[in-house]
Amino acid sequence: MHDNIILAGVGGQGILSISAVLALGALSKNLYVKQSEVHGMSQRGGAVLSHIRISDSEIQSVLIPNGKANALISVEPMETLRYFSYLSKDGYLISNTDPYESDNYPEIEKIISELNKVPNRILLDAGKLALRAGNKKSANMVVLGAASPFLNLGEEAILEGMMAFFTPKGERTVSINMDAYKFGKEIALEMMQKK
Amino acid sequence: MINPQIKLLLGDEAVAQGAIDAGVSGIYGYPGTPSTEIITYAQRTPEVKEKKVIASWTVNEKTAMETALGMSYAGKRTIVTMKHVGLNVAADAFINSAISGVNGGLLVVVADDPSMHSSQNEQDSRVYGRFAMVPIIEPTTGQETYEMMRYAFELSERVKLPVLFRLTTRLAHSRTGVKTGEKLSQNHLDPPQDTTRFILLPSNAKGRYNGLIKMQEELEKFSENSKYNKFSDGTDTSLGIIACGIAYTYLMDNFLENPNPYPTLKVNQYPLPMKQIRELFQICDKILVLEEGYPVVEEYLRNNVFTENDKIVGKLTGILPRTGELNTDHVAHALGLPVEVNEFSSDAAFPRPPAMCVGCGHRDLYDELNEISKQIGSRRIFSDIGCYTLGALPPYEAIDTCIDMGASITMAKGAADAGIFPAIAVIGDSTFTHSGITGLLDAVNDKANITVLISDNYTTAMTGGQDTAATGRIADICRGVGVEEEHLKLIVPLKKNLQQNIEIIKNEINHHGVSVIIAQRECVKFYKKM
């Protein structure tokens, strides 16, 4: 069992929370896990990238080589493109389409048409679903929910990771993030059926 | 359920947990990416409080290093933490602690930043380790990081030397499951019997230095017998591989399906284990050196050991990139293995550089300075290391220099001495206490014609909001250094104060001599109301 997952977004969007949930989930199943994080200067509203590798055998490098990610999960559409080259030929792309704009931000239509080049893709407006769950900040869990059917880690482990990560933050945080996850997953399954 | 013995730890956190479990008594350091999380982890770990372990931020890396040396003198185990450039600041104490030697185990934990994710250079701390002639530990994984803390303490106490413990960004900032082990109690108070070795008068130091040189052979033996320097045989002797620290993971990542056919030496402890290296040279046609950072091992072997041949390949021969981090594909290329071709690519993503937060006081200060520059038509702004360095980027483009901690004030003074007017320094509160005060004293003593802006946000923001050394006392420090009361001003950088602040700054620029303006506004991201 292997997962090579690239997580992308902008500083403050909760990339490291997705990363932590997946890592805790992997530990709950006694799997090996390695995950890279970004701290310091690049965190100040800059592009954030996290590699996470999960396996039932020992993991070597924390960094996923180009073309070897089976999933690219992103909370920001332009950031998705920045890390396109990591995705393997038959890998899954799960991306928010709600832009976090900055200077010189390209036209969103152009970004979406690039994203559409990936055959296995789930593109969704995670911000809208996060608001429905009760907090726009839970867009990261919407995206994780949408990615969950495509990860080898399996849902049971992901949910255990979420409980381990969110429980110390209080009941309400748990329920908002669980809802966000559920909404993301539902929409991904709907999209898959339509295909 | 997660096994309670397994903790999900960053490399930095594995350092802290490893130190705590090995009976550390004092952890000192100055925040700096990628080393900061060692102390932040220790400070929030309940067992640190219960065991009365001291985990403190210090004014700078030099005071940290010296404090740790004092704790080691008393017989206790201690670590000092910093980023690679911090070792430049601590170097005087570090190099000389190798001459005096230590008493309780002392580990100098330094996190290097190849690829300069958050730094101004990618200097390799192993060069310092060799310079000081002390053992160096460079773990490969998070688990080894944890285990080698205890190992390094034992080594330090056995050879009575400080040990340099080197991390690089990818290890410091990678999280993995770490299985923790036995918890040791702290050392008892046990000051040294021979006190002369800590008095580095030339007459004592000469003897100590000769001893340190004689000891190198013994240190090499320790490396040769270390279980962490592992030699594995291979069937294909056309190539032998030396893989140091984390570089070993990039090698083995290429052999997930097929076994590594090449004889390989994994190096986690220096001085280099020459017995194994000679063996590798004997049986292999070529030697590939894989190391993160400078080509330290490659250069050493090429220049000092195997000068007669061109058997060695690596960063110096161009088979691996000379700068930046290594990765699996770089190593694949060096091994002649196929590299995956990208299926997807896009050039539609624009750069998204980091920026100062919305609502940050530094922004308003730069608005004021930019307005002044427009009015007076010229400006040279000497700045420093911190969030406010981001003022170099658009839309502000407000600063002209950023070199090292504290260089704003001193460079402004030198430039003013040379005739530049106005010479303005911009420095943060934490950087000011780290290395700005001494430069300000120079400026006051020489009556230099400079204007110093201390942008005081009451915290060390860039590294995540650590306490600063002199919150609330910056003005008193300036007075103590000799800044004249009438040229020591306080402003609050808010939009509504823009015009008033511009007038104050302009007046001080026109004062011939040292002026200090403290721009006080709490950090929008990290400052917690007391």
Side-chain angles (χ1 to χ4, degrees):
Chain A
M1 179 265 143
H2 305 285
D3 265 320
N4 285 329
I5 305 164
I6 292 286
L7 301 171
V10 177
Q13 283 193 314
I15 309 309
L16 293 187
S17 304
I18 305 180
S19 204
V21 164
L22 290 171
L24 288 167
L27 282 192
S28 77
K29 297 288 169 210
N30 282 318
L31 296 166
Y32 292 93
V33 59
K34 277 192 183 179
Q35 160 214 337
S36 79
E37 300 188 355
V38 174
H39 296 261
M41 179 175 265
S42 28
Q43 242 180 337
R44 293 278 163 281
V48 170
L49 162 71
S50 177
H51 297 240
I52 176 159
R53 310 186 85 173
I54 298 168
S55 175
D56 51 12
S57 55
E58 201 181 340
I59 298 160
Q60 295 294 335
S61 158
V62 66
L63 299 178
I64 299 165
N66 258 331
K68 291 275 179 75
N70 60 306
L72 167 53
I73 304 176
S74 172
V75 193
E76 209 289 328
M78 186 178 80
E79 295 310 316
T80 315
L81 295 182
R82 199 184 304 284
Y83 307 111
F84 239 26
S85 63
Y86 284 107
L87 196 59
S88 69
K89 202 165 59 183
D90 47 6
Y92 275 87
L93 168 68
I94 303 92
S95 176
N96 188 5
T97 54
D98 180 18
Y100 185 112
E101 291 188 15
S102 59
D103 289 343
N104 302 322
Y105 198 91
E107 280 174 27
I108 186 71
E109 291 74 22
K110 186 177 173 201
I111 293 176
I112 303 290
S113 81
E114 294 271 297
L115 295 178
N116 281 332
K117 286 181 191 165
V118 180
N120 301 325
R121 64 180 183 275
I122 299 290
L123 306 180
L124 73 169
D125 186 338
K128 211 167 75 187
L129 291 169
L131 275 179
R132 211 174 93 200
N135 190 335
K136 183 147 189 193
K137 279 191 163 170
S138 65
N140 58 346
M141 288 302 126
V142 173
V143 177
L144 177 60
S148 61
F150 315 107
L151 301 181
N152 299 315
L153 177 61
E155 176 156 69
E156 200 184 297
I158 298 174
L159 293 178
E160 277 216 46
M162 285 183 72
M163 288 309 287
F165 185 76
F166 288 114
T167 303
K169 300 174 199 284
E171 251 174 63
R172 189 169 149 72
T173 310
V174 173
S175 90
I176 289 174
N177 283 286
M178 284 293 176
D179 280 349
Y181 173 90
K182 204 174 68 190
F183 295 155
K185 183 184 161 192
E186 279 167 4
I187 211 162
L189 292 177
E190 263 172 46
M191 286 179 183
M192 291 305 290
Q193 274 182 351
K194 279 186 202 149
K195 271 193 180 173
Chain B
M1 275 299 288
I2 299 171
N3 177 346
Q5 262 206 314
I6 296 185
K7 291 186 154 78
L8 189 60
L9 298 180
L10 286 177
D12 279 346
E13 296 171 347
V15 165
Q17 191 64 52
I20 295 163
D21 292 351
V24 76
S25 298
I27 304 176
Y28 305 98
Y30 185 80
T33 312
S35 72
T36 312
E37 292 75 15
I38 300 170
I39 291 187
T40 51
Y41 176 86
Q43 287 182 335
R44 65 166 191 266
T45 301
E47 114 186 72
V48 163
K49 268 202 197 87
E50 286 154 21
K51 293 175 171 170
K52 297 197 168 61
V53 174
I54 296 169
S56 291
W57 296 119
T58 56
V59 164
N60 63 36
E61 294 85 353
K62 179 175 185 282
T63 64
M65 177 72 215
E66 291 157 350
T67 311
L69 187 58
M71 181 159 273
S72 161
Y73 181 93
K76 307 240 179 174
R77 289 186 169 181
T78 178
I79 70 171
V80 43
T81 76
M82 61 196 74
K83 68 183 295 173
H84 57 343
V85 287
L87 190 50
N88 299 331
V89 179
D92 197 1
F94 171 64
I95 304 283
N96 288 312
S97 69
I99 307 287
S100 67
V102 305
N103 190 26
L106 193 165
L107 311 184
V108 183
V109 185
V110 186
D112 292 355
D113 190 19
S115 285
M116 303 185 222
H117 297 280
S118 256
S119 304
Q120 68 272 50
N121 74 31
E122 46 179 54
Q123 67 183 60
D124 189 321
S125 298
R126 292 176 303 165
V127 176
Y128 265 116
R130 220 173 91 68
F131 188 36
M133 293 186 271
V134 299
I136 304 167
I137 298 292
E138 188 189 16
T140 296
T141 63
Q143 184 68 41
E144 274 184 5
T145 304
Y146 172 80
E147 289 169 12
M148 291 190 87
M149 286 302 287
R150 178 172 167 176
Y151 175 83
F153 273 126
E154 286 164 1
L155 178 66
S156 171
E157 287 174 357
R158 181 114 181 239
V159 300
K160 294 281 177 206
L161 285 174
V163 170
L164 181 76
F165 200 100
R166 182 201 191 213
L167 307 173
T168 53
T169 306
R170 287 301 166 187
L171 188 54
H173 284 169
S174 290
R175 210 175 271 284
T176 188
V178 172
K179 189 163 184 287
T180 56
E182 189 194 355
K183 290 184 186 292
L184 305 182
S185 45
Q186 295 177 39
N187 287 357
H188 295 293
L189 196 64
D190 182 21
Q193 299 306 312
D194 165 22
T195 56
T196 57
R197 71 181 172 101
F198 285 94
I199 309 170
L200 294 183
L201 279 168
S203 53
N204 294 339
K206 280 175 193 168
R208 296 293 310 167
Y209 181 49
N210 277 319
L212 179 61
I213 289 169
K214 277 204 198 102
M215 201 175 205
Q216 297 305 302
E217 214 172 299
E218 193 187 331
L219 298 182
E220 195 176 296
K221 286 270 176 317
F222 275 111
S223 287
E224 288 167 356
N225 297 325
S226 169
K227 64 173 176 176
Y228 292 103
N229 287 339
K230 211 176 76 195
F231 187 95
S232 18
D233 252 329
T235 48
D236 185 348
T237 55
S238 64
L239 187 72
I241 300 171
I242 298 172
C244 308
I246 198 170
Y248 184 78
T249 67
Y250 301 130
L251 170 69
M252 297 313 285
D253 218 24
N254 280 293
F255 298 109
L256 295 177
E257 273 121 54
N258 310 306
N260 172 13
Y262 306 112
T264 298
L265 177 63
K266 171 173 170 275
V267 175
N268 295 115
Q269 182 177 340
Y270 307 75
L272 286 168
M274 289 311 298
K275 196 178 95 192
Q276 288 91 331
I277 288 182
R278 289 208 175 84
E279 190 184 333
L280 198 66
F281 267 73
Q282 230 156 36
I283 59 174
C284 298
D285 302 335
K286 267 197 183 318
I287 301 292
L288 171 66
V289 182
L290 303 173
E291 54 191 324
E292 186 91 301
Y294 284 14
V296 175
V297 170
E298 190 182 346
E299 203 166 62
Y300 176 77
L301 294 178
R302 181 178 288 277
N303 294 345
N304 298 45
V305 187
F306 303 101
T307 48
E308 77 287 357
N309 63 52
D310 55 358
K311 263 172 89 160
I312 306 168
V313 293
K315 295 185 171 195
L316 291 172
T317 59
I319 198 168
L320 289 166
R322 175 66 179 79
T323 62
E325 292 176 299
L326 287 179
N327 62 37
T328 302
D329 283 350
H330 290 147
V331 176
H333 172 78
L335 292 170
L337 296 171
V339 173
E340 196 88 20
V341 183
N342 307 338
E343 180 73 15
F344 306 106
S345 67
S346 169
D347 52 13
F350 280 64
R352 194 195 296 267
M356 290 179 287
C357 305
V358 174
C360 168
H362 298 317
R363 286 187 175 217
D364 290 292
L365 181 62
Y366 283 134
D367 280 336
E368 291 159 12
L369 284 174
N370 279 347
E371 182 55 37
I372 292 170
S373 302
K374 229 188 281 168
Q375 290 177 15
I376 61 182
S378 82
R379 67 106 211 261
R380 293 287 161 172
I381 295 179
F382 300 87
S383 193
D384 228 301
I385 312 258
C387 285
Y388 49 96
T389 316
L390 297 172
L393 306 176
Y396 295 96
E397 300 179 272
I399 64 170
D400 300 294
T401 72
C402 161
I403 306 289
D404 69 274
M405 296 286 285
S408 55
I409 297 177
T410 33
M411 280 184 72
K413 179 190 182 286
D417 286 354
I420 285 184
F421 177 82
I424 298 169
V426 174
I427 186 169
D429 49 328
S430 186
T431 308
F432 178 68
T433 52
H434 179 287
S435 288
I437 301 171
T438 43
L440 184 60
L441 181 56
D442 274 344
V444 167
N445 288 347
D446 271 5
K447 298 188 170 50
N449 191 15
I450 63 170
T451 305
V452 178
L453 286 134
I454 302 175
S455 197
D456 182 5
N457 59 3
Y458 314 129
T459 188
T460 315
M462 181 54 94
T463 48
Q466 292 73 36
D467 290 342
T468 58
T471 301
R473 286 177 288 151
I474 301 282
D476 283 343
I477 289 172
C478 294
R479 284 185 197 103
V481 164
V483 176
E484 294 165 25
E485 193 64 41
E486 55 272 32
H487 297 293
L488 178 60
K489 306 284 183 196
L490 288 182
I491 62 172
V492 180
L494 279 168
K495 289 223 165 17
K496 61 173 187 183
N497 299 340
L498 182 93
Q499 281 315 322
Q500 184 193 337
N501 290 347
I502 286 174
E503 285 315 307
I504 293 171
I505 298 168
K506 266 166 60 182
N507 282 341
E508 292 311 321
I509 286 172
N510 288 326
H511 161 63
H512 192 91
V514 176
S515 300
V516 174
I517 300 156
I518 304 172
Q520 277 182 328
R521 193 168 143 203
E522 69 274 17
C523 172
V524 65
K525 197 171 172 69
F526 292 114
Y527 182 69
K528 303 151 209 92
K529 288 264 185 271
M530 287 184 208

